[in-house]
């Protein structure tokens, strides 16, 4: 039996594997990767590697074994039919008879287009008969703190979220919740709404950036259309820019401000404050 992590060299996947290594022998962990060279460090530590691609279904044939626990980290190829990609993994897990498949989904409160693939994947998973856990991950601090260059260049946080608030948390927090589910008991057929302990607004975020940098950084709220134009001007594909603008509309409506407490309960500790994430990002 193994704990199998898909997307293991991605931002979230790496956190999960690193935290699993603190709890389990390396040989009990299988990292599913597309490029073996990107996981050479994990292999050197004794983690089993499996090379597979969501877009090539046959690469998942025989990858899972009966009794495995699987973490399906949602794909990020928005233009390649993510639901179909996820179905490949779910079908392979069902055929193998895995004991649990945990899926990183989106908050139940989110109505933005970003959530559509997640809801559809949840439907596929529930219809598969595989014991499941839905990890409905809220927004990540890093969605903002990893993109500080334009903010610091223009002394402005620009979003289309109005006075909306976000109960975000750090990737490491969400990874810890996944590890708790994968290494614990009693999580079958459960749904967890995961979010940070405290919601914050972009005016507060700009104020925190000002405090930590010594610069005067303001929050400029723009229309979704203007935000989409700004993002496409920065090189994002128009479709993805529209998706991000749609998330900001949801933020303004309060859809990402829900604080369920599930994340801190699963991890057994408070979630990482946004100020701490800002400090880590500024240290670089």
């Amino acid at each position: 039996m193994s704990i199998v992590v898909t997307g293991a060299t991605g931002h979230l996947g790496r956190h999960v594997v690193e935290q699993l290594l603190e709890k389990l022998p390396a040989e009990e962990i299988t990292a599913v990767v597309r490029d073996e060279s990107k996981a050479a460090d994990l292999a050197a530590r004794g983690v089993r590697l499996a090379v597979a691609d969501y877009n090539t279904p046959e690469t998942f044939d025989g990858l899972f074994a009966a009794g495995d626990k699987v973490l399906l980290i949602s794909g990020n190829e928005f233009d390649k039919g993510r639901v179909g990609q996820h179905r490949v993994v779910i079908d392979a897990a069902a055929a193998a008879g895995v004991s649990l498949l945990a899926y990183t989904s989106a908050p139940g409160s989110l109505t933005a287009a970003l959530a559509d693939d997640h809801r559809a994947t949840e439907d596929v998973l529930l219809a598969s008969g595989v014991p499941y856990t839905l990890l409905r991950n809220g927004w990540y601090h890093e969605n903002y703190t990893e993109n500080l260059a334009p903010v610091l260049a223009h002394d402005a946080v620009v979003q289309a979220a109005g006075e909306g608030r976000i109960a975000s948390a750090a990737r490491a927090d969400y990874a810890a919740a996944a590890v708790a589910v994968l290494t614990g008991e009693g999580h079958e057929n459960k749904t967890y709404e995961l979010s940070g302990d405290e919601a914050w607004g972009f005016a507060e975020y700009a104020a925190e950036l000002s405090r930590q940098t010594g610069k005067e950084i303001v929050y400029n709220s723009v229309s979704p259309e203007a935000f989409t134009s700004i993002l496409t001007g920065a090189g994002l594909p128009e479709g993805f820019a529209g998706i991000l603008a749609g998330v900001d509309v949801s933020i303004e409506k309060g859809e990402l401000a829900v604080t369920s407490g599930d994340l801190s309960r699963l991890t057994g500790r408070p979630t990482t404050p946004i100020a701490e994430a800002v400090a880590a990002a500024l240290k670089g």
Side-chain angles (χ1 to χ4, degrees):
M1 193 195 91
S2 188
I3 289 180
V4 185
V5 180
T6 73
T9 54
H11 290 305
L12 181 62
R14 274 202 169 271
H15 276 292
V16 172
V17 174
E18 289 288 346
Q19 292 186 36
L20 282 172
L21 282 166
E22 294 172 9
K23 290 177 172 277
L24 298 171
E27 61 269 19
E28 292 181 18
I29 305 165
T30 299
V32 181
V33 299
R34 282 192 292 194
D35 183 347
E36 209 167 354
S37 65
K38 290 184 179 177
D41 59 316
L42 298 178
R45 295 169 69 180
V47 174
R48 294 170 53 200
L49 300 187
V51 180
D53 189 326
Y54 295 153
N55 300 305
T56 314
E58 59 271 21
T59 59
F60 280 89
D61 290 347
L63 192 152
F64 304 124
D68 281 353
K69 290 184 177 180
V70 179
L71 176 64
L72 169 54
I73 295 179
S74 56
N76 59 6
E77 295 176 314
F78 294 90
D79 58 339
K80 292 192 177 178
R82 292 199 297 169
V83 181
Q85 292 179 329
H86 299 157
R87 187 189 295 274
V88 166
V89 180
I90 293 166
D91 286 350
V98 304
S99 63
L100 183 75
L101 191 150
Y103 171 64
T104 61
S105 192
S109 55
L110 186 66
T111 64
L114 180 70
D116 293 349
D117 287 349
H118 292 296
R119 295 290 92 82
T121 299
E122 289 184 5
D123 290 342
V124 171
L125 180 52
L126 268 62
S128 73
V130 174
Y132 67 87
T133 306
L134 299 181
L135 299 168
R136 289 181 170 169
N137 286 1
W139 222 223
Y140 299 170
H141 292 333
E142 289 88 349
N143 290 342
Y144 304 108
T145 59
E146 286 184 351
N147 297 291
L148 287 179
V151 173
L152 299 178
H154 300 286
D155 294 335
V157 173
V158 180
Q159 300 286 153
E163 301 301 309
R165 301 177 73 74
I166 312 166
S168 62
R171 278 202 195 99
D173 295 332
Y174 293 109
V179 168
V181 165
L182 293 167
T183 59
E185 299 296 333
H187 300 291
E188 291 83 1
N189 305 331
K190 291 194 175 172
T191 298
Y192 297 108
E193 296 287 348
L194 304 177
S195 61
D197 294 333
E198 294 185 18
W200 51 270
F202 284 107
E204 293 167 61
Y205 179 59
E208 184 61 34
L209 285 167
S210 300
R211 187 182 72 78
Q212 293 199 31
T213 61
K215 303 174 76 176
E216 187 175 340
I217 296 172
V218 299
Y219 168 43
N220 292 334
S221 183
V222 298
S223 70
E225 294 76 20
F227 190 51
T228 301
S229 296
I230 289 167
L231 294 175
T232 54
L236 263 65
E238 191 165 347
F240 186 50
I243 285 173
L244 293 180
V247 170
D248 269 18
V249 171
S250 284
I251 289 170
E252 185 167 25
K253 293 176 183 174
E255 294 177 7
L256 287 180
V258 179
T259 52
S260 70
D262 280 357
L263 182 49
S264 51
R265 276 192 293 272
L266 273 176
T267 61
R269 58 174 170 75
T271 60
T272 306
I274 184 67
E276 197 173 305
V278 168
L282 290 173
K283 279 180 190 168

